[in-house]
Structures are given as structure tokens and as C-alpha cells.
Amino acid sequence: MIRSALSLLLASGLVAGLAACTGNSSLGPVVSSCSPDQGAVELSGELSAAAAKTYLLLPFEVMAGTGRVEVGYSWADSGSGGTPLTQTVFDLGLWDEAGYRSPAGFRGWSGSRQGRIDAGQEPVFVQADTAERGYVPGAIKPGLWHVELGVAAVAPDGANWRVRIQCKRASPGAVPIDDPVDRAHVADAAAGWYHADFHMHGYHSNPDAPSWADFVAQAREAELDVLVVTEYVTGQHWRRLGAVQRSNPDLLIWPGREIITYFGHANTFGETYDVLEYRHGLEDVRLADIQAAAKASGALFQVNHPQTFRGALFENFCRGCGFELDDELDWDRVDTIEVHNGPVLVTGSELGVGAVPGQTENPFTQPAIDLWEAKLNAGFRITATSGSDSKGVDAPADRQRKGYGSSATAIFADNLSRDAVSAALRAGRAYIKTRGARFSPHVEMTASDGAATVMFGGSLAAESAKLHVEVRGGANQTLRLIANGDVVLLVPIPADEFSQDFPIQRVALTEGPLGTFWRVDIADEQALTIIGNPIFLTGAP
């Protein structure tokens, strides 16, 4: 498999110089040995722009006596270089002797954030008792290992890369004992509204990320109840968060993972220890299979920020951020979709257009809502959520706008546990507060046909019903009443305590297999403050 993968890259003409660094003969690549008794292994090569969104797996042999493996790398644009919209970016990962296609062989991934020796960073490392953030400590066993270079983006004139691998001796420290979160933990036995941030990066996603204690402190400041820790690619945090949960019994600590592909990102929430693949397009790896494995493990599956920086113009600026894998997924098994990601008000630098003064409404939210509503009309019952996507590194003054919990999803759950919140999400009993739990209005929405009453996510087997909406804290904002994605009424909210009834009915001309969906949004003079999940009218039984 190793030789065939390298041979394919060489034959394709996408890679030049790889044969020189690994060797190339009629028997396949010559693999360099890595030993504490010799110098570093140096690998290098060149790529054309056509190599973007592919992977290089660079084999090396770890020799007996090695107790620590270090990997550093660098790259440079060829020609005149690139702008932020045309830049080269490589991602770094590491796989051990168990193989680069086995979860057991995964030793870490750091994207482009760590290990860049040309930028003065230290190499990433693994050893028995400790490892770099994003990497997995464990015994260093002899055998064939792989450095993974993810070719996220390449400048128009191509790029060159260099990898430096150093094997060292190290005292054989004890491998840390796993301490996972108790998945049955109940943080609060009462039914009610709870607030979650479904896209939070922690210790293993950024070299400057906060400690777990500071992570929790920031989340508490934002009045979050559910802390969904979606680290990039790795599952290392699953093994360590038990102590964090025991120290914070009133919160629900929920390990998850962000699956970073070069064609779209997704989150999983739940027990996915054996599902560590993310490299859609490598050999036979497909996101559809990753989704199926995650669902089989009991996790929820979410499509992330589907319209953020979508299109060819932004492919190098935000690698894989726009979701392009619609045809890959089983949309019947997509539980949630992140229609709002990041701050609701964004700056020019955050949009990649430089130091434009002021802030503007996040331009990616409404297109994501449009996509979600199209999926609803196509018959896919998917719950809309939001996530800050914060790394926890913002200054205190910026946390309200873009830190943990800067946007929040309110969920009505039977109790504060993973099972109850999962059930509420699947049922759609949720709405989005784009300014977070503290600074957004609170909304109650129910519909009644005289025989039954339902809330967000519910269905009525009726042709018509009465929709009742209550809003607190929304003075001087505007409520939008929406049917099947069309705004049918704008209603001013004159005071902080507001309620109104609306007669609703099926709109057969525009409805899909789920019936007619009705929902509400709320906006102030700057942006949306509330994004509501729908109630469905399915017609008389």
C-alpha cells in the first residue's frame, strides 16, 4: 500500500523531487532509517499547483532504541510567491508502525499550526509519557512510520517542501492512563432550556489554547451548560477529560471532533474513539464512510459552516471551509447543520479583505440558512445549530463577540445529559442565539391544532394551527415569520416582554415531503439575533 501510494504520486507528475528524498528503484521507494545513533532524516520535494487537496505519506523506519520521534517541516512558494488568496499551506500529521490507515496507528495531526521550523517553531514530538498538543503519547516501537503532509493549498507557480525527522533516546516514562468522560453523566436532572456551543476548539487545536481550567472558566463566563469539545481531527482529549468533568459536575463536557477534509468540514459529537479518519480523497477514503462509521459508534454527525468561504477564490485562504461534498453524504443521517459559525458581526480582516473599518453582518449565515431550508424542503429533517469555532485565545475584551459561547444553541432537554441533549437535537427542540446566551433574546414557540400542542421541532397532523410566540429581551427588534423558507410577515417587537399568536396553515405549493414548516427569526438593526428551528404541519391524517 505504501509503495503504491508513493508510486501513484510520482507517476501523476504532481510531485517532483520525492524520488530523490525517498529513493526510487524498480522495487519501489527506498525507505530511510531513523535512529538515535545517526543524524536527522531530511526529506524534500516540489509540487505543482495541481497537487492541492492531496496527501503525501512519507515512510521512514524507526530503529530499536528510539524513545522519542520529532518532526519539523517547512515550505516555500515557488516563483514570485502568493497572496493570502493564493498561498501554499501544508498540514502535518504522524502515523506509527500500526499503519497510516489504522486508527491504532494515528499519532497526531497539527494542521499548519505547529512544527514549522522555518518559522522558528519547535518540531512536534511523541514519546511514551508525553507528546506535542494534538499528538498521542505512547510507546515508540520499531517499524515503518509515516509523516503525513497534507497538501492543503499550493501557490500558482508551485511550492517546495522539506521535512526533518529526528529519532532520539528518551527515558521510558509511563504511558498516561486513559481517563474518559463518563458518557452517562447527568449534570442537572431537571427538564428545561440549556445552552451549548457546538464548535469549541481546546487544548489540542492550538499551541496557545487555554488550559482546561481556563477553557471551562471562559465557557462559564458565557453561561454555557454544554461544552462540546470539537478538537481538530484528534481524539486525544477523549482520553483526558474525565477529570475535567468530575471537577465541573454541573456542566456537560461532551468530547467531539472536527473532521477536516479539503472539500468540507464536519463535526461528530460522542463516542468515536475508533473513527479517526479525515482524509477524504486519500486512496479509497470517503466522507460517506467516515459518516457511517461515526454514526455506527453512536455519535451525532454535523455539517459545519457549509457556505463559509465557498468557491475557487477562497480555496487557499480557507482550506476546505466551504462544504462541497453534498453528494457524498447520506443526508438522512445528518443530525445537525451549523448554519451560523463564528461571530455574528465580522471585521474586514476576518473576511480576508484587510483593515476595512467597522463590522458587518456575517455574510455566510444567510446562505447557510438557505441551504438548510432547501434540505428541509427536500425531506431531510436536520436541526440547525451554531458554533463559535473559537480557539479560546481571544483577549477578554473580544470574547463576547467571538469567544466560546459568543453564539449559542438553546436546547430544551429532559435533563442535562448527553443522551437527553442528543434526543432534543434529533427532535429539533432548539433555536440559535447568535449573540450568545447572555445577550440574545429568549424565545418560546408552540403550535396547537386544538388536539395537540408542540414546540420547536414538533409536527402536527393538521391543515392549520395557531402558532404562539413569546419573546423576552427583544425590544425594538423585528420578528420574521417564515413558511417553507419564505418570509411571509415582519412583526415589530415593541417591548422586552412580547407575545403574539399567528394563524398558520399548510402551503402545499412550496412544501416538501416533511409538510409545511413554519419558523421564526429575529433581527436587530445590525444582524440576526435568533434563528429558530421549525414546526411542521403535515396535513390531516
Side-chain angles (χ1 to χ4, degrees):
M1 182 182 294
I2 297 155
R3 291 181 178 179
S4 65
L6 285 169
S7 298
L8 178 62
L9 287 167
L10 290 167
S12 70
L14 300 181
V15 183
L18 186 57
C21 72
T22 63
N24 193 20
S25 70
S26 61
L27 297 178
V30 176
V31 178
S32 298
S33 62
C34 186
S35 166
D37 300 321
Q38 66 186 46
V41 175
E42 300 277 355
L43 309 175
S44 62
E46 299 177 4
L47 301 116
S48 72
K53 301 185 178 183
T54 63
Y55 296 87
L56 296 179
L57 277 303
L58 308 176
F60 64 101
E61 190 81 20
V62 172
M63 308 305 290
T66 300
R68 178 183 173 103
V69 176
E70 297 181 350
V71 181
Y73 75 135
S74 62
W75 72 79
D77 293 340
S78 301
S80 60
T83 70
L85 291 177
T86 61
Q87 64 186 330
T88 297
V89 178
F90 285 91
D91 293 325
L92 182 64
L94 183 65
W95 298 77
D96 68 18
E97 83 292 339
Y100 71 83
R101 288 295 302 273
S102 167
F106 179 80
R107 293 304 289 263
W109 187 89
S110 49
S112 59
R113 301 177 302 280
Q114 295 149 264
R116 285 198 63 185
I117 52 181
D118 60 328
Q121 298 174 355
E122 294 295 319
V124 302
F125 73 94
V126 293
Q127 61 186 54
D129 56 338
T130 187
E132 180 62 73
R133 296 185 189 218
Y135 290 77
V136 182
I140 306 300
K141 298 179 181 180
L144 191 66
W145 289 45
H146 290 82
V147 171
E148 175 188 305
L149 278 187
V151 188
V154 183
D157 293 330
N160 59 75
W161 56 266
R162 185 172 300 275
V163 171
R164 186 176 192 272
I165 308 165
Q166 182 78 60
C167 291
K168 297 182 177 181
R169 301 188 189 278
S171 300
V175 175
I177 298 172
D178 285 354
D179 183 14
V181 171
D182 175 9
R183 74 171 315 281
H185 177 72
V186 178
D188 191 326
W193 288 103
Y194 296 104
H195 292 94
D197 184 338
F198 285 105
H199 198 154
M200 304 172 74
H201 293 287
Y203 182 86
H204 291 286
S205 291
N206 190 288
D208 300 317
S211 67
W212 290 120
D214 192 22
F215 176 92
V216 171
Q218 290 186 37
R220 285 188 182 279
E221 182 182 354
E223 298 184 0
L224 292 174
D225 306 295
V226 186
L227 281 56
V228 184
V229 190
T230 53
E231 300 282 34
Y232 291 121
V233 171
T234 186
Q236 179 60 11
H237 56 303
W238 296 328
R239 301 181 172 98
R240 300 289 174 264
L241 286 172
V244 179
Q245 180 67 90
R246 291 191 297 275
S247 297
N248 298 275
D250 60 321
L251 299 177
L252 183 63
I253 311 295
W254 196 351
R257 181 170 71 101
E258 184 167 21
I259 300 163
I260 301 294
T261 87
Y262 295 138
F263 305 91
H265 300 175
N267 275 351
T268 55
F269 314 135
E271 299 294 340
T272 53
Y273 285 81
D274 297 324
V275 186
L276 280 167
E277 193 53 86
Y278 50 94
R279 297 164 295 179
H280 175 90
L282 170 68
E283 298 174 349
D284 62 344
V285 177
R286 313 301 297 178
L287 183 60
D289 297 323
I290 299 171
Q291 178 194 26
K295 294 293 293 181
S297 75
L300 299 183
F301 188 90
Q302 172 172 291
V303 171
N304 285 356
H305 44 70
Q307 302 287 45
T308 296
F309 291 113
R310 187 168 184 170
L313 178 64
F314 298 106
E315 285 181 344
N316 291 36
F317 179 73
C318 194
R319 283 74 58 194
C321 291
F323 198 81
E324 301 173 13
L325 296 173
D326 292 48
D327 295 338
E328 281 286 330
L329 291 182
D330 180 351
W331 283 92
D332 279 320
R333 305 192 75 193
V334 173
D335 299 289
T336 58
I337 185 168
E338 186 185 48
V339 301
H340 177 65
N341 170 273
V344 68
L345 296 175
V346 294
T347 65
S349 60
E350 290 164 342
L351 294 175
V353 295
V356 177
Q359 299 174 355
T360 187
E361 183 174 12
N362 189 320
F364 307 117
T365 298
Q366 188 58 54
I369 293 172
D370 295 341
L371 174 63
W372 165 55
E373 290 178 330
K375 294 298 182 185
L376 292 174
N377 280 326
F380 302 107
R381 195 156 182 163
I382 303 169
T383 299
T385 63
S386 71
S388 69
D389 209 350
S390 175
K391 285 72 175 169
V393 297
D394 300 306
D398 293 329
R399 288 176 186 167
Q400 178 182 330
R401 185 177 71 86
K402 59 181 180 177
Y404 297 139
S406 51
S407 68
T409 303
I411 311 111
F412 191 88
D414 292 340
N415 57 66
L416 187 53
S417 69
R418 192 181 303 184
D419 285 347
V421 173
S422 294
L425 283 174
R426 291 189 181 101
R429 296 196 302 270
Y431 68 94
I432 294 166
K433 296 184 171 185
T434 69
R435 297 183 188 272
R438 296 173 60 191
F439 302 103
S440 303
H442 177 79
V443 181
E444 302 275 355
M445 184 178 79
T446 60
S448 175
D449 63 357
T453 300
V454 298
M455 65 178 306
F456 293 98
S459 295
L460 289 175
E463 296 292 333
S464 62
K466 180 179 71 176
L467 187 73
H468 179 72
V469 180
E470 296 183 6
V471 182
R472 295 199 305 272
N476 301 315
Q477 300 186 33
T478 301
L479 182 144
R480 303 173 182 176
L481 184 63
I482 298 166
N484 296 332
D486 298 321
V487 177
V488 297
L489 188 65
L490 299 177
V491 181
I493 301 174
D496 276 340
E497 297 289 335
F498 170 85
S499 67
Q500 188 162 327
D501 292 334
F502 303 93
I504 60 173
Q505 61 187 8
R506 289 182 62 199
V507 185
L509 186 64
T510 59
E511 74 176 17
L514 299 176
T516 295
F517 72 79
W518 289 87
R519 65 180 201 86
V520 296
D521 288 345
I522 297 175
D524 62 16
E525 70 280 0
Q526 292 181 297
L528 286 171
T529 60
I530 294 294
I531 304 168
N533 276 286
I535 286 172
F536 300 88
L537 295 183
T538 61

